[in-house]
Amino acid sequence: MKHHLTPKYWDDRYLNDDFGWDLGQISPPLKDYSDQLTNKDLKILIPGAGNSYEAEYLVNKGFTNVYVCDFAEQPLKNLLQRCPNIGANHLLLTDFFEIKDIKFDLIIEQTFFCAINKSLRAKYFQKAYELLNPKGKIVGLLFNDALNEDKPPFGGTKEEYQEYFKLLFKPKVYEMAYNSIKPRAGRELFINLEKI
């Protein structure tokens, strides 16, 4: 399973158009959430972002501090080609777990958590806690479904996830998404978790 955590594995998937999770647009729950944000100066991180339609959407709405992290180069190139206004200095070609010396107000979760090795799940929330400013938030979607055991996307349950973050974050919203795309309906949790 470790091979799924290499940049080459993910670059190859993008180069071969093998990314069935990619919607080709911002997901409806994240679009609706983004449309409610009024502070265009929020410092936002989208980790393991892939093609990151969420970043493109936010930048096009006037958000000026949107950062995208991926350790595969191809999706970052794809984003910069579609959305040059994001600026190359806001594209972090690195492992999420290696980010240092930068703090964010908001981390947007969209298919990164389900792509990392399941053994890293507690570490994901610990790293997010470390990267967030006081009262910072993780907002996004987690699969509330079994999915795969041998390759991404890896699934899980609402109860499992809560064990990872309960000492670090308080849920402002932690419930099934009501506006998922049809193939994911009834399978996605919308999370809005505030740093304790």
Side-chain angles (χ1 to χ4, degrees):
M1 195 182 315
K2 195 167 175 75
H3 68 281
H4 297 303
L5 297 176
T6 67
K8 182 180 181 339
Y9 170 83
W10 290 107
D11 268 331
D12 287 349
R13 289 193 70 169
Y14 281 95
L15 289 168
N16 293 310
D17 292 330
D18 180 16
F19 44 87
W21 63 87
D22 190 299
L23 301 181
Q25 63 183 11
I26 188 172
S27 67
L30 288 174
K31 179 184 181 299
D32 288 356
Y33 176 79
S34 299
D35 287 344
Q36 298 171 35
L37 297 174
T38 56
N39 181 358
K40 301 289 174 81
D41 295 322
L42 283 173
K43 200 164 191 180
I44 300 169
L45 173 66
I46 306 173
N51 283 322
S52 198
Y53 302 101
E54 293 73 25
E56 181 179 11
Y57 186 79
L58 288 164
V59 168
N60 289 339
K61 284 188 64 85
F63 287 83
T64 57
N65 288 309
V66 179
Y67 290 76
V68 174
C69 163
D70 207 303
F71 68 1
E73 188 173 14
Q74 192 58 47
L76 296 178
K77 286 180 177 178
N78 295 348
L79 174 59
L80 190 58
Q81 186 174 15
R82 289 191 335 266
C83 184
N85 289 343
I86 193 168
N89 61 327
H90 284 210
L91 304 181
L92 309 177
L93 180 60
T94 190
D95 185 329
F96 167 72
F97 297 102
E98 299 300 320
I99 298 173
K100 294 182 175 93
D101 304 321
I102 186 167
K103 295 281 190 181
F104 300 94
D105 302 305
L106 174 63
I107 293 175
I108 293 181
E109 171 54 45
Q110 171 62 14
T111 69
F112 175 56
F113 185 81
C114 71
I116 61 174
N117 190 308
K118 289 177 84 171
S119 66
L120 295 173
R121 289 184 162 184
K123 188 176 176 184
Y124 166 93
F125 285 105
Q126 291 164 355
K127 186 63 181 180
Y129 183 90
E130 175 189 316
L131 291 173
L132 285 167
N133 287 317
K135 301 289 187 183
K137 296 177 184 175
I138 304 173
V139 174
L141 298 163
L142 301 176
F143 280 113
N144 189 36
D145 195 355
L147 302 179
N148 303 314
E149 286 296 323
D150 60 336
K151 63 180 181 180
F154 303 110
T157 66
K158 183 177 184 178
E159 294 73 27
E160 173 197 350
Y161 305 146
Q162 198 155 5
E163 288 301 308
Y164 299 131
F165 71 73
K166 67 182 181 182
L167 299 178
L168 303 171
F169 293 90
K170 64 180 178 187
K172 297 179 78 60
V173 181
Y174 192 60
E175 58 195 38
M176 296 302 289
Y178 66 87
N179 53 352
S180 298
I181 63 165
K182 196 169 185 179
R184 297 181 187 173
R187 301 168 61 208
E188 288 184 314
L189 282 169
F190 184 80
I191 61 168
N192 183 334
L193 310 176
E194 186 175 89
K195 180 175 175 175
I196 295 173

